[in-house]
Amino acid sequence: MSTTFSNVNFSVLDLAPILYQQDIRTSLNNSADLAQHTEQLGYHRYWLAEHHNMPGIASSATSLLISHVASHTQSIRVGSGGIMLPNHAPLVIAEQFGTLDALYPDRIDLGLGRAPGSDQATAFALRRTLNSSPEDFPNQVEELESYFAGDARVKAVPGKGANVPIWLLGSSDFSARLAAEKGLPFSFASHFSPDYTVPALSLYRDRFQPSEHLNQPYAMVGVNIIAAETNEKAKWLATSQQQQFLSMVRGAPSQLMPPIDDIDQEWSIYEKASVEKNVNSKSTIIGDKTAVAEKLAQFLEETAADEVIINSQIYDHEARKQSYQIVADVVNG
């Protein structure tokens, strides 16, 4: 492995994209196939994200999809990046992940987020009330931990005694503070919140309190990577992700669209600025092997991440697999 990347783990973030003019079964099968591919390439873990009311994302039933992926792989860690805990009773999550741990021992991760992962109407449909708020998140995490520890009055079966590492996820400083206070690993969503990455990581490291889980801070950072044989092809493939963010800017989320030749024909100056605010050079690496190596090394120098989790929103499944292959070639020298 290249010296630059030798002390860093590399992992996969899969939003289980639903492709334009393809069905959801195809999306789920693609996830299993990509997991097998990246496991063979040596990626460390494979995470799936909870989103709702999104026509382009098929991972809303996150625990079920984790089981699907784990059943098609042998050794790669599989988990949530993340479960939006305010949407669920902590007991139910303890039971679900206790079941996953029983089925796939020592392979399951539980990444937790405090955002709804949806709009307000969808949050209400999930929770039946909006009385709870993200500020309740620390108490919900403690309740969940009590089920795994077996300290709660109600016993989680399965769940009690499960070996499921808890991670805290965030795109601001809230979860960074909580992860530091509790001595938990922390994953920052820099792939869509790049400007807050370094401040959040600094806060986490500065305030970290050793715990039974970790002796020292462990930070994972998200990045979008779209790699191809040439810079031109990579930029072309990246227009699928750009179109998806553009649809969100317009308030009409879409499936993942095929790449197009001229993205500038699709958006206004304002829309382009809005998309690039979240998907820019700080959070997105687009290019050939040489460009990826240079930009990924720079990203690691800026963040000093212990682990990088890579999201690659690419329409063509084989091109997506090839992108992860190119990254593996880079990090393995």
Side-chain angles (χ1 to χ4, degrees):
M1 180 177 286
S2 169
T3 304
T4 305
F5 308 117
S6 58
N7 296 318
V8 181
N9 286 319
F10 290 87
S11 297
V12 179
L13 175 62
D14 181 11
L15 301 185
I18 302 172
L19 308 177
Y20 178 66
Q21 294 188 333
Q22 299 288 336
D23 59 18
I24 292 175
R25 183 182 180 88
T26 298
S27 176
L28 304 183
N29 288 339
N30 285 347
S31 289
D33 185 62
L34 181 63
Q36 291 174 334
H37 178 66
T38 51
E39 179 178 63
Q40 292 170 359
L41 292 174
Y43 284 84
H44 186 57
R45 67 183 93 238
Y46 194 102
W47 277 9
L48 299 133
E50 176 187 350
H51 292 275
H52 301 278
N53 195 30
M54 298 290 286
I57 298 176
S59 52
S60 55
T62 315
S63 299
L64 290 176
L65 192 49
I66 288 171
S67 185
H68 173 64
V69 167
S71 72
H72 284 80
T73 51
Q74 300 297 320
S75 59
I76 193 169
R77 298 194 66 86
V78 188
S80 59
I83 291 289
M84 301 299 108
L85 193 54
N87 294 340
H88 309 277
L91 174 61
V92 172
I93 297 304
E95 291 170 341
Q96 289 178 358
F97 278 78
T99 301
L100 288 168
D101 179 60
L103 290 170
Y104 314 104
D106 301 320
R107 292 185 59 203
I108 301 300
D109 298 324
L110 176 51
L112 300 173
R114 70 186 184 100
S118 59
D119 55 76
Q120 287 294 299
T122 307
F124 178 79
L126 286 163
R127 305 175 192 178
R128 313 310 301 169
T129 176
L130 296 181
N131 291 336
S132 62
S133 75
E135 306 308 316
D136 298 327
F137 184 62
N139 292 333
Q140 294 169 328
V141 173
E142 287 190 10
E143 181 182 349
L144 178 59
E145 288 176 319
S146 73
Y147 293 128
F148 285 134
D151 297 334
R153 180 178 179 182
V154 175
K155 303 305 177 186
V157 183
K160 178 183 176 181
N163 178 26
V164 180
I166 290 178
W167 290 66
L168 296 189
L169 281 55
S171 57
S172 66
D173 63 356
F174 185 97
S175 290
R177 294 174 188 273
L178 185 60
E181 176 187 319
K182 297 180 71 65
L184 293 173
F186 175 57
S187 180
F188 190 81
S190 51
H191 58 294
F192 65 80
S193 186
D195 291 340
Y196 298 102
T197 303
V198 173
L201 294 178
S202 296
L203 188 152
Y204 168 65
R205 291 168 177 141
D206 290 345
R207 301 195 178 194
F208 183 84
Q209 298 293 318
S211 70
E212 62 180 310
H213 310 289
L214 286 176
N215 292 324
Q216 58 188 18
Y218 189 94
M220 178 198 290
V221 182
V223 63
N224 303 300
I225 299 182
I226 297 175
E229 297 90 345
T230 66
N231 288 324
E232 291 72 21
K233 183 175 180 181
K235 291 177 182 177
W236 180 69
L237 292 173
T239 60
S240 293
Q241 183 186 50
Q242 291 168 330
Q243 290 177 84
Q244 193 166 53
F245 269 87
L246 176 60
S247 72
M248 295 174 65
V249 168
R250 292 174 173 173
S254 68
Q255 296 176 327
L256 189 64
M257 304 298 289
I260 55 178
D261 292 333
D262 189 358
I263 187 68
D264 287 330
Q265 294 292 324
E266 300 297 318
W267 53 23
S268 67
I269 294 175
Y270 166 77
E271 289 172 334
K272 180 180 180 179
S274 296
V275 171
E276 291 183 345
K277 180 179 180 180
N278 292 318
V279 186
N280 58 37
S281 60
K282 291 183 179 180
S283 62
T284 301
I285 297 172
I286 301 169
D288 63 10
K289 183 177 179 180
T290 300
V292 168
E294 178 182 343
K295 295 174 183 177
L296 188 55
Q298 181 181 356
F299 181 77
L300 284 170
E301 183 177 351
E302 293 173 354
T303 62
D306 300 290
E307 186 165 344
V308 174
I309 190 163
I310 299 165
N311 173 45
S312 297
Q313 289 291 85
I314 297 173
Y315 180 84
D316 181 80
H317 182 60
E318 292 304 316
R320 192 178 186 212
K321 291 168 65 176
Q322 179 64 15
S323 181
Y324 281 103
Q325 174 75 64
I326 291 170
V327 175
D329 292 344
V330 166
V331 303
N332 290 321

